[in-house]
Amino acid sequence: MRILFVGDVVGRSGREAVGAALPGLRDRLRLDLIVVNAENASHGFGLGTDMAEALFAAGADVLTLGNHAWDRKEIIPYIADHSRLIRPLNFPPGTPGAGSAVVALPDGRTAVVMQAMGRLYLDPLDCPFRGTAQELARHRLGVTVQAIVLDIHAEASSEKLAYAHSFDGQASLIVGTHTHVPSADHQILPGGTAFLSDAGMSGDYDSVIGMQKDIATTRFWRKMPIERLNPAEGEATICGVFVETDDRTGLAQRIEPLRMGGRLSQAMPEATRA
Ligand SMILES: [Fe+2]
Ligand SMILES: [Fe+2]
């Protein structure tokens, strides 16, 4: 299976770039599954229902959220009716929506996407490790499902690595989100799971993690309330990761970074395997 995971879409710049690029990327990379983190799509905070619809229309199969899941209140009733929009699985019991989505591909294959949120430097939640283990126990990779993608939305690289090693061999891809800075540690772990500790954001990198740099910088210099943060609106770099898996095992055969447009150095996966 050919999978593209796109990191946190930030604001209008990120939304427009990702919306415009996904149809072409699906063709060029012959993608079977596209997962997009959309927690910052709405002016940096949350996801509007119209934005979710636009990302689905552009080709996203599953949208994930994170600590900004509920910043736009309209998403709360929407998530209850849209099973391909997921939020972290370790929110308290009774939270609207689900932490995993089962996707039936047009060719009959099945993929599962889950999201968990870390607890270091983030709100205390239920244990992401135990919650993920419980959710994974419902599926058999390579038997009942051909691919499993885990989005670990967390601040600390240590927590993401511990999470990845915990589930190595049980997922096709484990990818971090939330820091908005792409890491360069993409690899296939010893058990066969593709891993990248952070996908990076899809937004304007002439910024402080997607927000206009002057206001964001002043906040660090002057510890006083100032203007609210606004997203930077220059050209976005779409950041993500491409993975190709073996359907018989669900494990990864290759992982390559994708960085497209904007300021970052460009990286485009090979369309065909070398
Ligand atoms: Fe984010
Ligand atoms: Fe986040």
Side-chain angles (χ1 to χ4, degrees):
M1 196 178 296
R2 298 166 70 94
I3 302 166
L4 177 68
F5 186 99
V6 175
D8 308 36
V9 174
V10 180
R12 177 184 301 277
S13 162
R15 287 197 315 270
E16 290 184 349
V18 171
L22 282 188
L25 286 170
R26 186 179 280 276
D27 285 350
R28 176 177 186 166
L29 298 174
R30 293 184 286 117
L31 298 171
D32 300 303
L33 179 71
I34 299 175
V35 184
V36 178
N37 182 294
E39 69 152 0
N40 308 107
S42 178
H43 214 68
F45 300 93
L47 173 66
T49 57
D50 55 332
M51 300 165 189
E53 293 291 323
L55 287 167
F56 284 132
D61 295 295
V62 176
L63 302 178
T64 64
L65 291 164
N67 54 308
H68 290 291
W70 315 123
D71 289 357
R72 287 286 303 273
K73 303 292 176 276
E74 67 188 60
I75 214 67
I76 297 171
Y78 181 90
I79 199 171
D81 293 336
H82 293 81
S83 60
R84 290 191 182 196
L85 171 65
I86 63 173
R87 43 71 176 173
L89 56 81
N90 52 327
F91 275 143
T95 299
S100 73
V102 177
V103 182
L105 302 186
D107 59 16
R109 289 178 292 172
T110 304
V112 175
V113 182
M114 304 179 191
Q115 183 179 47
M117 189 147 73
R119 295 188 292 189
L120 288 180
Y121 317 117
L122 284 166
D123 282 349
L125 290 174
D126 292 349
C127 178
F129 293 82
R130 288 175 180 79
T132 300
Q134 268 178 14
E135 197 63 35
L136 281 171
R138 301 172 55 194
H139 307 285
R140 301 244 344 253
L141 184 62
V143 181
T144 60
V145 299
Q146 282 65 57
I148 297 178
V149 174
L150 304 182
D151 171 357
I152 174 66
H153 195 80
E155 185 75 39
S157 309
S158 59
E159 195 173 20
K160 293 174 176 181
L161 276 152
Y163 183 90
H165 287 302
S166 297
F167 302 114
D168 181 19
Q170 298 180 62
S172 312
L173 167 66
I174 299 177
V175 58
T177 53
H178 176 73
T179 72
H180 292 198
V181 178
S183 63
D185 58 339
H186 49 282
Q187 60 180 300
I188 297 175
L189 297 174
T193 297
F195 172 68
L196 171 66
S197 63
D198 207 291
M201 68 165 177
S202 296
D204 177 6
Y205 278 80
D206 183 19
S207 69
V208 174
I209 62 169
M211 305 313 257
Q212 288 176 8
K213 58 190 177 184
D214 49 349
I215 302 170
T217 302
T218 304
R219 284 192 168 199
F220 284 94
W221 281 85
R222 295 176 58 83
K223 291 300 188 184
M224 291 176 66
I226 51 164
E227 292 170 72
R228 64 173 287 199
L229 291 168
N230 291 308
E233 304 228 295
E235 188 192 343
T237 303
I238 298 168
C239 280
V241 66
F242 170 83
V243 170
E244 190 167 4
T245 65
D246 179 347
D247 288 333
R248 291 167 300 178
T249 62
L251 297 172
Q253 294 177 316
R254 65 172 170 137
I255 176 168
E256 291 188 43
L258 181 144
R259 296 184 302 274
M260 179 180 175
R263 305 178 62 80
L264 295 195
S265 70
Q266 304 291 288
M268 181 58 63
E270 289 289 329
T272 51
R273 193 173 166 76

